[in-house]
Amino acid sequence: MLIISFSVNSTSPFLLARNLHGTDESYHPTHAPDAVATPLTTDQVSDLMKLCNAERIPVTPFGTGTGFEGGVTALHGGLCIALHKMTEIVSVNTTDFDATVRAGVTRHALNDWIRADGLQFPIDPGAGASICGMCATSASGTNAVRYGTMRENVLNLEVVLADGTVVHTAGEGRRPKKTSCGYNLTNTFVGSEGTLGIITQATVRLHGIPEATAAAISSFPSISEAVETVVQILQCGLPMARIEFLNPAMITACNKFSNLGLDVAPTLFLEFTGSESSVEEQALFAEDLCTGNNGQNFKWATDHSEREHLWKARHNCWYAVKATFPGKHAYSTDVVIPISRLPETILRCTELADNMGVPAPIVGHVGDGNFHCFLLMDTTNRTEVEQVKEFSRALAEVAQSYGGSCTGEHGIGLGKRDLLVKEVGQGAYDTMKLLKRSLDPNLILNPDKVISLDHLI
């Protein structure tokens, strides 16, 4: 185990490493930990937690730093426990469709390992995230409409608590596909953002790689017609793998960055999977639905290179936006609403952006009502940063007013703490505080994330 020492020398590699472990992809300023530890085993994590708990030292877990809500910033200094060296794939059970991985294993690494067995771990947030980090934020992504989120795909977790106790949420070594045994501890820690314990191992569901895959694209005169098409596709029971929405601003950015040449209009990206014959049937059926809602230029393809080009462009939305606004820092905020309220929410989002003068390309996992708005700012310009904060909060409140949530994937972290109680209600919020105090009585685990310390003391 390496512990990076304290240093105040601005050119020191130790200080640079500390700063690296005190920031993510959000607009929140860097808060460096006082030291960084890189354990190799769960026992080492446990020993660190015992020491920190005894000395009341704040602890911030760190995966790959790809979050969007400041979840890894060390607001109170202390120790960062960086888990990226715990890279063992403990087991893969091909006939049981599950795998157990240590905290530093990324989704890319697991998929590379299991691809030859015809298996995949399909939860795809579009970043090189670690699987245990994805558990911590309850991540999902483009495949959620088919495979669900991390909550539906985690069977067991190994968690180190604040006092160093190691627990297995479903029992050590157990990996049942379902259970009604006791409290659901697994999903208590999924989405806890490092505030209740440090996830050091996860057992996750695997899925078969489909025989055939087709990708399709269609543009629409309006957002409403695009969303109505999505609703009809889901009502008809088409087993969609992905349904993504891009607004005209995002299409413009993707056209420039990925050389797509698409019509600048509200656009759906779709993916179908199954046997070769069923994929063709699905694509033709979807084409009829798109055409019935004034969809234009419907194109579909099963060719691997064509599909990869299309979906690579979709996954590169983040980089496309950053390239469109060079010198600006990009920040992604997300909300989720009932699909029926999606058109008016996106329109409200566009109006808010226009009124505030904020560029706002939008991409959405519309099959489950989740969408992201990419915001651009100069982080040294306080006015622009405050505009982005105001916009993000206003959009979240719109989603909440429509019966939705202030975040579908990114978590609460720092940026949305004030929205939590408004969403879940005072009773549920107080219950969360009781849970936090019970598992972390000294309030050392990722302090001031999800729930403000002021609300716990």
Side-chain angles (χ1 to χ4, degrees), residues 104-423:
V105 176
T106 65
R107 66 181 186 88
H108 291 307
L110 178 59
N111 277 321
D112 287 344
W113 186 271
I114 63 179
R115 188 173 292 112
D117 292 315
L119 297 174
Q120 62 171 331
F121 176 68
I123 311 306
D124 179 9
S130 64
I131 289 173
C132 288
M134 292 165 62
C135 293
T137 58
S138 190
S140 52
T142 58
N143 287 326
V145 67
R146 178 68 174 270
Y147 297 105
T149 72
M150 287 302 290
R151 289 193 188 278
E152 292 78 48
N153 285 276
V154 179
L155 303 175
N156 200 351
L157 294 173
E158 178 185 81
V159 183
V160 180
L161 302 182
D163 64 358
T165 300
V166 179
V167 299
H168 297 265
T169 57
E172 187 170 4
R174 302 195 184 279
R175 45 191 179 87
K177 290 299 184 291
K178 63 180 182 179
T179 177
S180 58
C181 181
Y183 299 133
N184 189 343
L185 290 182
T186 301
N187 275 340
T188 297
F189 288 96
V190 172
S192 62
E193 302 185 43
T195 62
L196 303 179
I198 297 178
I199 300 171
T200 51
Q201 180 175 290
T203 300
V204 296
R205 295 177 184 268
L206 303 179
H207 300 263
I209 297 175
E211 174 191 342
T213 302
I217 189 169
S218 181
S219 60
F220 294 83
S222 70
I223 295 170
S224 298
E225 287 162 317
V227 174
E228 179 59 28
T229 302
V230 172
V231 172
Q232 291 175 7
I233 286 173
L234 296 176
Q235 287 175 333
C236 291
L238 285 183
M240 300 299 302
R242 310 187 217 193
I243 313 177
E244 298 287 291
F245 168 83
L246 281 69
N247 76 338
M250 187 64 80
I251 290 293
T252 298
C254 288
N255 278 343
K256 291 179 180 178
F257 188 79
S258 299
N259 298 315
L260 291 182
L262 300 176
D263 292 339
V264 178
T267 301
L268 292 181
F269 285 32
L270 307 106
E271 187 171 270
F272 317 95
T273 58
S275 66
E276 291 187 4
S277 59
S278 69
V279 161
E280 181 176 358
E281 290 174 3
Q282 292 172 49
L284 293 174
F285 195 91
E287 181 177 11
D288 287 342
L289 293 177
C290 289
T291 303
N293 287 296
N294 299 315
Q296 301 167 350
N297 298 321
F298 184 95
K299 299 175 184 176
W300 69 281
T302 57
D303 179 74
H304 179 76
S305 60
E306 289 185 54
R307 289 191 292 105
E308 285 297 304
H309 179 63
L310 184 65
W311 283 105
K312 185 178 180 181
R314 159 60 189 90
H315 277 311
N316 282 341
C317 281
W318 176 249
Y319 305 105
V321 169
K322 293 180 76 170
T324 302
F325 300 90
K328 296 280 190 177
H329 179 86
Y331 162 65
S332 174
T333 188
D334 86 307
V335 296
V336 58
I337 57 277
I339 297 175
S340 62
R341 306 303 296 266
L342 196 59
E344 57 195 298
T345 307
I346 292 176
L347 290 172
R348 287 284 301 277
C349 176
T350 304
E351 290 171 1
L352 285 170
D354 290 343
N355 292 339
M356 295 182 185
V358 177
I362 293 171
V363 61
H365 317 312
V366 288
D368 53 21
N370 182 208
F371 74 87
H372 305 262
C373 185
F374 293 173
L375 307 169
L376 290 303
M377 77 195 102
D378 176 358
T379 54
T380 64
N381 185 321
R382 187 168 182 81
T383 300
E384 289 192 13
V385 172
E386 290 303 316
Q387 274 186 324
V388 166
K389 288 182 181 179
E390 182 184 353
F391 175 90
S392 180
R393 182 181 182 85
L395 178 59
E397 289 177 340
V398 168
Q400 288 177 331
S401 72
Y402 289 160
S405 174
C406 65
T407 177
E409 298 180 332
H410 296 171
I412 294 294
L414 275 177
K416 295 185 175 179
R417 291 178 304 177
D418 294 342
L419 293 159
L420 178 58
V421 64
K422 180 176 181 180
E423 182 160 320

Side-chain angles (χ1 to χ4, degrees), residues 89-95 98-101 110 113-114 117 119 206:
I89 296 176
V90 178
S91 66
V92 174
N93 301 289
T94 57
T95 54
D98 64 64
T100 299
V101 300
L110 178 59
W113 186 271
I114 63 179
D117 292 315
L119 297 174
L206 303 179

